[in-house]
Amino acid sequence: MYGVCLKYLKNVQESQDATSLIFEKVMDDLLRMDVMNFKSWLYMVSKNHCLMQLRKKKPEKIENISELEYKLEDNHDSEYVFIKESQLKNLEEAIKKLKDEQQQCIDLFYLKEKTYDEIAGITGYETKKVKSYIQNGKRNLKIILTENHT
Amino acid sequence: MNRKKKIFESNTPLTKEEIAAYLKGDMSQADKYQLEQKIAGDEFNSDAIDGFESTPEAMEGFNELEGHFHGNLPRKVASKFWRFEFSFILIITIAIGLYFIGHHFLDQINLDEIKFDESKLTTQVRNDSSSADNNIPPIEELDDKEIENAAPLEESKQLTSDRIIINAPLIMVIDSSINEIAKIDSAILLINEEKEIINATSNDKKEITKVNTTNVINSNIGTLFLSRLLVVDYTNIYTKEITIPNFELTGTTADKENKSDNGANELAVNTYTQKITYVDFLQEVQSKFRKNKFKDALKDYRTILTHYSNDVNAHFYMALCYFNINKQKKAIQHFDRVLNHDFNTFHEEAKWYKAMSLYESGKISKCITILNEIATENGFYAKKASKMLNKI
């Protein structure tokens, strides 16, 4: 949570405050809500909190917000997309549908087991780009696989 | 296949030690790869590492944070847990009590007779000192029956919550401390990501209107998200609670107990007004809107306007509800209220959707006039407006 806050708020003190607030909120919410996928839920709550923090005039008002939107009907997070064993059969084809750079990075990372820096050395992409190609490639794979299945 | 399976394997969260070692580069290639698998396998881990990489000095604050959590929260949580258990037991006890009281009489009453006519609420426009426009006459709203009988627009044309989100601009609150470029970039990143996720999980995928640095809108009032929908933050402005009618079945009243059978067979209905804070009520309504229950949401926005006639949230979302149930005249009236409102938060969206509403109601020349304005003002919807003008 702290790391996520740092990514978006870019300030140590604000991130520490935000982490404490999210932690307290999460504790309250867990007493009232059924959370099916805790990690994904926590991630989305943290991100949403940061977004609100970025847009709010006075961050100290955050505790006044009575309800955020993370009820179970709102599970839009891609993490909730469950990939079944049978869908993995189409993985080979799905990878081919990815953009070249995503395909290349996924291949080097998952199949050739190269680290980010090694992939950056091989491909000439910046390490940050490598990370982002893998992340986006993974997200697109999920979408392709679930679409093919339905 | 085994290696490919790793792509979708679930990964545990990163530990403090792992983050520290990774940042220092103090690990073997094999360990580094294992850790990067955890990072790649989970957006949460990935964002966290991004955060620490951008602010390495933040590691020092880790111990302080841990101390805060270990020292303070468990006690608080424990006491809340006790309160929760106590409340649960109390509710169960009351429910059992009510069941026994009401059980004898339930089959002899007609529940329809005790229903409220919520539409009566609309006639009681309350003055409130926090409403800035007490002189503006209220819009004559549709009553419950008219709302229920309305034939909605076909689904593909409706402005559902998903479509509104993927077409929404980035609205930042004007404040020198937050309008730093880096923060705007973060907000753009987040909002575009959210749009992609919502669109990816939506049944009908639409073209996403992406936000960029050139078309960020500055709101002159604070905002909140309720059910993922943007609203103006009236928390400190609308402090008076909203009253809604409610009732409870109380069984035989004390004065009728031990009297004749006739008296004992009557179930007393205790009517009362329930009070709820503005933001809690709005949260409920936004949740209905989020689920595309536009008719139900519309009635609730109407209730809000009887308390706060200048509420820009109610006007904006009500306009969208009227649009979706194809009552374009009403939709346009509410969009106009938004466009003339002192709070500018929804100005651009209201103008764009007003053009849609004019188009749906067949007022093409007026629609073209507004689209021309949007295109020349060069705001968030400029490209969309030009595209639509070409089509028309």
Side-chain angles (χ1 to χ4, degrees):
Chain A
M1 277 182 339
Y2 183 36
V4 171
C5 293
L6 284 167
K7 174 172 178 175
Y8 294 109
L9 303 178
K10 302 188 189 306
N11 177 294
V12 174
Q13 191 53 54
E14 276 181 35
S15 301
Q16 287 187 352
D17 292 347
T19 308
S20 300
L21 283 170
I22 297 166
F23 195 82
E24 289 191 30
K25 183 188 151 35
V26 162
M27 286 302 181
D28 281 349
D29 284 354
L30 285 175
L31 297 177
R32 294 184 290 110
M33 296 165 63
D34 290 327
V35 177
M36 285 193 294
N37 186 332
F38 177 72
K39 203 166 53 158
S40 297
W41 172 79
L42 183 64
Y43 175 54
M44 291 303 286
V45 170
S46 306
K47 269 174 77 165
N48 194 271
H49 184 96
C50 291
L51 182 57
M52 285 205 300
Q53 178 99 334
L54 288 166
R55 301 165 81 157
K56 273 185 75 72
K57 199 171 181 180
K58 290 180 182 170
E60 64 268 21
K61 276 192 216 159
I62 283 172
E63 61 194 6
N64 291 334
I65 298 160
S66 62
E67 279 286 331
L68 291 186
E69 57 271 22
Y70 293 100
K71 291 183 179 169
L72 292 174
E73 76 270 14
D74 276 350
N75 288 340
H76 287 286
D77 184 8
S78 55
E79 287 292 314
Y80 287 89
V81 180
F82 180 64
I83 304 294
K84 293 172 191 156
E85 188 76 31
S86 58
Q87 289 168 266
L88 279 174
K89 285 176 193 162
N90 304 321
L91 190 61
E92 203 91 46
E93 279 176 37
I95 290 176
K96 283 179 193 160
K97 287 183 186 169
L98 295 175
K99 287 181 185 166
D100 287 348
E101 58 270 31
Q102 291 175 1
Q103 221 178 99
Q104 195 183 5
C105 291
I106 292 261
D107 181 68
L108 285 167
F109 188 74
Y110 286 107
L111 305 184
K112 310 272 184 342
E113 302 197 338
K114 302 286 181 196
T115 64
Y116 291 157
D117 287 340
E118 286 172 332
I119 298 171
I122 294 166
T123 59
Y125 303 135
E126 285 173 37
T127 311
K128 270 191 178 176
K129 283 273 175 200
V130 169
K131 208 171 149 184
S132 139
Y133 288 145
I134 294 170
Q135 203 70 259
N136 292 337
K138 248 187 74 175
R139 186 183 294 156
N140 291 337
L141 275 179
K142 276 186 184 178
I143 293 168
I144 296 167
L145 289 171
T146 41
E147 267 176 358
N148 285 348
H149 203 71
T150 49
Chain B
M1 182 61 84
N2 277 344
R3 281 185 180 174
K4 283 182 190 165
K5 264 187 184 176
K6 282 183 191 168
I7 299 178
F8 300 111
E9 260 175 16
S10 177
N11 287 278
T12 52
L14 297 173
T15 64
K16 186 176 84 176
E17 290 71 26
E18 284 174 330
I19 295 170
Y22 187 74
L23 292 179
K24 277 187 195 163
D26 190 14
M27 54 200 333
S28 69
Q29 276 305 90
D31 286 346
K32 194 175 175 186
Y33 178 71
Q34 290 296 322
L35 199 86
E36 285 180 349
Q37 266 205 329
K38 275 173 107 173
I39 297 168
D42 188 297
E43 284 176 307
F44 202 165
N45 287 341
S46 175
D47 272 7
I49 278 290
D50 282 350
F52 285 110
E53 279 179 334
S54 66
T55 329
E57 71 274 16
M59 281 307 289
E60 288 165 22
F62 229 133
N63 291 340
E64 206 180 311
L65 262 180
E66 281 183 325
H68 173 74
F69 295 151
H70 291 306
N72 297 330
L73 285 166
R75 219 171 37 238
K76 200 171 169 182
V77 171
S79 93
K80 279 183 181 166
F81 187 70
W82 162 242
R83 283 210 307 267
F84 171 76
E85 280 198 321
F86 179 75
S87 307
F88 181 74
I89 292 165
L90 194 67
I91 289 166
I92 293 291
T93 312
I94 292 170
I96 292 169
L98 281 176
Y99 173 79
F100 281 113
I101 292 167
H103 185 66
H104 290 300
F105 313 111
L106 278 177
D107 54 346
Q108 296 179 37
I109 58 164
N110 179 1
L111 283 175
D112 287 340
E113 287 172 10
I114 55 172
K115 273 188 182 167
F116 279 90
D117 179 4
E118 283 188 27
S119 60
K120 282 179 186 167
L121 273 175
T122 55
T123 58
Q124 308 162 2
V125 178
R126 253 196 341 175
N127 286 332
D128 190 281
S129 56
S130 59
S131 301
D133 69 340
N134 288 333
N135 296 325
I136 301 173
I139 294 168
E140 199 179 316
E141 308 295 351
L142 300 187
D143 63 28
D144 284 1
K145 204 175 168 189
E146 289 168 316
I147 292 172
E148 288 306 328
N149 290 339
L153 267 185
E154 56 188 275
E155 211 279 333
S156 63
K157 287 184 178 175
Q158 284 183 8
L159 298 170
T160 60
S161 52
D162 280 358
R163 285 175 198 154
I164 289 162
I165 293 170
I166 66 167
N167 283 311
L170 170 60
I171 296 168
M172 301 285 288
V173 178
I174 295 173
D175 184 317
S176 57
S177 71
I178 64 160
N179 282 349
E180 296 162 18
I181 299 297
K183 292 193 174 183
I184 294 176
D185 284 347
S186 287
I188 288 172
L189 184 75
L190 274 167
I191 198 167
N192 283 335
E193 262 181 29
E194 182 176 50
K195 286 175 180 216
E196 272 177 19
I197 289 167
I198 286 183
N199 203 32
T201 50
S202 186
N203 289 331
D204 66 323
K205 293 178 180 41
K206 299 271 176 189
E207 193 187 338
I208 298 174
T209 318
K210 288 255 176 129
V211 171
N212 61 51
T213 43
T214 60
N215 54 31
V216 171
I217 295 171
N218 287 323
S219 167
N220 56 4
I221 178 81
T223 57
L224 293 177
F225 282 96
L226 297 176
S227 289
R228 290 198 173 187
L229 296 162
L230 185 79
V231 294
V232 162
D233 181 5
Y234 280 107
T235 313
N236 295 331
I237 302 173
Y238 290 167
T239 50
K240 278 188 188 171
E241 290 167 314
I242 289 186
T243 50
I244 49 172
N246 212 335
F247 66 90
E248 61 182 4
L249 304 179
T250 57
T252 310
T253 52
D255 60 315
K256 284 179 181 164
E257 255 183 85
N258 303 322
K259 289 190 177 173
S260 70
D261 284 350
N262 287 343
N265 284 340
E266 287 173 20
L267 182 67
V269 179
N270 179 22
T271 61
Y272 64 100
T273 52
Q274 187 188 345
K275 289 190 172 184
I276 181 166
T277 64
Y278 168 82
V279 77
D280 284 341
F281 190 71
L282 186 62
Q283 165 66 35
E284 297 280 321
V285 192
Q286 293 309 89
S287 168
K288 288 178 188 173
F289 190 96
R290 184 82 183 93
K291 292 172 192 161
N292 301 329
K293 293 179 177 174
F294 303 116
K295 289 182 175 178
D296 291 342
L298 190 50
K299 293 173 196 168
D300 288 343
Y301 290 125
R302 203 179 53 189
T303 301
I304 292 178
L305 288 184
T306 64
H307 291 73
Y308 298 113
S309 61
N310 197 32
D311 177 5
V312 72
N313 296 326
H315 283 300
F316 178 64
Y317 287 100
M318 208 166 178
L320 294 170
C321 290
Y322 275 132
F323 179 94
N324 291 333
I325 66 165
N326 208 10
K327 293 290 177 187
Q328 304 306 338
K329 197 178 160 191
K330 293 284 158 209
I332 291 164
Q333 282 179 307
H334 283 281
F335 282 132
D336 282 337
R337 287 292 163 98
V338 179
L339 287 166
N340 293 321
H341 203 283
D342 288 343
F343 296 156
N344 66 348
T345 317
F346 298 114
H347 278 185
E348 287 205 27
E349 281 175 277
K351 202 165 189 178
W352 168 245
Y353 291 127
K354 183 185 171 183
M356 305 287 105
S357 199
L358 287 165
Y359 183 80
E360 282 306 322
S361 51
K363 294 172 180 167
I364 306 299
S365 64
K366 282 186 180 174
C367 171
I368 290 173
T369 308
I370 292 197
L371 287 175
N372 273 321
E373 279 179 32
I374 297 171
T376 50
E377 282 164 4
N378 212 17
F380 183 72
Y381 295 102
K383 277 185 192 166
K384 281 178 97 84
S386 303
K387 239 185 188 178
M388 195 166 165
L389 279 167
N390 286 336
K391 272 189 195 170
I392 295 176

